[in-house]
């Protein structure tokens, strides 16, 4: 009798947990796709900081296209490649500043 109650409780708990998990995971994935959050990035060559937000991500992607490179996260680039990006970025400021 006791084992039947335990089995029933476990079954009920699983039945409630699975749908909740199915609702949470797509929401988290959607949030990651919508917002790029790297934070503040220091440009060693120009000795200044840049906020890495959706605008900067768009510029970074434009840089990669212009230089015929496949996308890779900025944080995974070699330091030399990051320096090349910031040199390009300073030569290509946003129009709406």
């Amino acid at each position: 009798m006791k084992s039947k109650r335990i089995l029933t409780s476990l079954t009920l708990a699983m039945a409630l947990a699975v749908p909740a998990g199915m609702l949470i995971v797509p929401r988290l994935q959607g949030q990651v796709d919508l917002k790029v959050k790297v934070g503040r990035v220091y440009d060693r060559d120009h000795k200044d900081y840049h906020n890495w937000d959706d605008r900067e991500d768009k510029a970074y992607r434009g840089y990669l296209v212009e230089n015929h490179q496949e996308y890779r996260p900025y944080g995974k680039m070699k330091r030399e490649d990051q320096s090349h990006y910031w040199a390009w970025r300073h030569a290509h400021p946003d129009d709406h500043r």
Side-chain angles (χ1 to χ4, degrees):
M1 189 68 109
K2 213 176 199 182
S3 62
K4 187 175 180 182
R5 276 192 219 159
I6 292 171
L7 185 59
T8 302
S9 296
L10 287 174
T11 304
L12 179 60
M14 287 176 53
L16 294 174
V18 170
M22 290 172 60
L23 292 173
I24 292 170
V25 171
R27 289 180 100 188
L28 291 175
Q29 289 173 344
Q31 288 174 359
V32 171
D33 292 340
L34 293 176
K35 293 280 183 187
V36 175
K37 291 196 175 188
V38 174
R40 210 165 165 208
V41 181
Y42 184 68
D43 175 0
R44 293 172 187 260
D45 297 329
H46 295 93
K47 296 179 176 48
D48 61 356
Y49 286 91
H50 299 269
N51 290 324
W52 196 278
D53 53 15
D54 291 335
R55 181 182 51 80
E56 195 64 52
D57 184 67
K58 183 178 178 183
Y60 172 64
R61 290 171 187 268
Y63 164 80
L64 293 175
V65 168
E66 189 173 302
N67 289 282
H68 310 286
Q69 297 179 23
E70 289 188 28
Y71 177 82
R72 64 185 183 273
Y74 172 83
K76 297 201 178 214
M77 292 175 73
K78 295 177 185 174
R79 189 175 292 173
E80 181 181 356
D81 294 334
Q82 290 176 352
S83 292
H84 288 150
Y85 169 69
W86 290 120
W88 178 90
R89 187 67 171 112
H90 280 271
H92 296 82
D94 292 335
D95 294 332
H96 63 278
R97 284 189 182 186

